[in-house]
Amino acid sequence: MSLDDWLRGARARIDVRDAQVLAAHALGCDRAGLIARGRDMLDATQRVVLDALLVRRVAGEPVAYLVGRREFYGLELAVGPGVLIPRPETELLVDQALARIGGLAEPRVLDLGTGSGAVALAIKARCPAARVSAVDVSAPALAIARENACRLGLEVTFIASNWLKALGPREFDCIVSNPPYIRSDDTHLQQGDLRFEPRSALASGEDGLDALRELCGTAPACLADGGWLLCEHGYDQAASVRALMRCAGLADVGSWRDIAGIERASGGVMDAGNRD
């Protein structure tokens, strides 16, 4: 069987792009390289590896977990079952953070619930002067995040903590978070890639807002005057998150739309006059 034969068979069972990504991963080439190798005959070992990947993908396992990586904000990140798979819409959170720290000499940035380290590392890569700290309660997630930072040569301080509980008194110019925000009974949790991702990184109470209430209730105390809290949230949660932020004393509260036109992130700034 040639590579082209295998790809034709795989495309009948899974998405075309997924088949190409899996083949490129198994054969150690990029997707463009598949064209040049299309007529090459697969040996027995290659067939075993390719067929095993295909079976796992047909069963629904995320491509990112199968190949062990995902691109985010121009960075190639290692990912695995212990972390949320970085998604394009989360790049909005990085954009908003960079827009707010760009004029500072050494901005202090905190990423809460860092997972693979995607947001923290993207900010550090685009703003090398930033002093970036990243928190997660999951030891497997922190191990993957540290691996990514080391491989990319980006200096980020990683801290094991349940949100802000282990940090002590600190001040940041920007706190960012992509917390869990799906309702615990949402049927989407039983569909697609979400079935394989850590539930603790996805679901957050009956209305999906438990983690966001925690963040909006505690993070403002760690903001410097003029510092921003920026959070990703669900497609229908923008108004609720803005209300939480205003109740926490943040000013200039607003929301921003992702690449699909959905209000996906909200934020507000700490005004010294609003502190208790």
Side-chain angles (χ1 to χ4, degrees):
M1 174 183 283
S2 70
L3 172 58
D4 280 345
D5 292 334
W6 187 88
L7 285 169
R8 276 192 292 272
R11 288 196 296 265
R13 304 178 68 187
I14 62 175
D15 179 79
V16 172
R17 185 180 184 281
D18 289 352
Q20 293 173 336
V21 171
L22 294 179
H25 170 69
L27 299 177
C29 64
D30 58 23
R31 289 171 61 198
L34 297 177
I35 298 173
R37 301 178 61 172
R39 296 183 180 180
D40 291 356
M41 301 303 293
L42 299 171
D43 62 33
T45 300
Q46 291 169 332
R47 278 290 306 277
V48 168
V49 172
L50 284 166
D51 288 347
L53 288 171
L54 178 59
V55 168
R56 291 169 67 186
R57 182 55 187 153
V58 169
E61 194 166 344
V63 171
Y65 287 170
L66 293 175
V67 303
R69 65 182 185 275
R70 173 58 67 91
E71 188 273 338
F72 179 83
Y73 221 88
L75 303 176
E76 189 82 0
L77 299 173
V79 296
V83 298
L84 192 71
I85 299 169
R87 290 166 168 80
E89 55 265 31
T90 302
E91 294 188 354
L92 173 66
L93 200 60
V94 179
D95 291 337
Q96 294 300 323
L98 291 173
R100 282 154 182 78
I101 65 174
L104 302 177
E106 290 187 330
R108 299 159 296 177
V109 179
L110 176 65
D111 177 22
L112 291 172
T114 194
S116 65
V119 171
L121 294 169
I123 291 172
K124 182 65 177 180
R126 293 301 179 96
C127 183
R131 289 181 284 165
V132 182
S133 300
V135 164
D136 208 291
V137 71
S138 165
L142 287 174
I144 291 174
R146 289 189 177 102
E147 174 191 339
N148 282 322
C150 182
R151 181 171 44 80
L152 294 168
L154 296 171
E155 185 178 350
V156 170
T157 299
F158 293 100
I159 304 166
S161 178
N162 183 8
W163 301 120
L164 291 155
K165 292 180 174 61
L167 266 68
R170 302 194 190 189
E171 280 195 344
F172 297 93
D173 300 298
C174 187
I175 297 177
V176 297
S177 183
N178 177 19
Y181 53 74
I182 300 176
R183 295 170 179 83
S184 57
D185 63 352
D186 194 314
T187 57
H188 288 93
L189 292 169
Q190 309 303 323
Q191 301 171 14
D193 289 358
L194 298 186
R195 292 173 294 163
F196 295 84
E197 295 181 90
R199 182 64 64 94
S200 61
L202 294 168
S204 189
E206 292 184 2
D207 60 0
L209 291 169
D210 283 2
L212 285 157
R213 289 191 189 92
E214 170 84 11
L215 291 172
C216 292
T218 59
C222 294
L223 288 173
D225 291 345
W228 281 83
L229 173 62
L230 304 169
C231 295
E232 182 173 323
H233 49 69
Y235 72 97
D236 59 350
Q237 295 173 332
S240 296
V241 175
R242 289 195 298 268
L244 288 170
M245 290 182 170
R246 291 190 183 103
C247 286
L250 297 179
D252 294 336
V253 173
S255 300
W256 303 277
R257 297 182 184 275
D258 64 15
I259 54 178
I262 296 168
E263 287 186 318
R264 181 62 66 183
S266 296
V269 65
M270 175 51 67
D271 185 334
N274 287 349
R275 287 192 186 274
D276 292 336

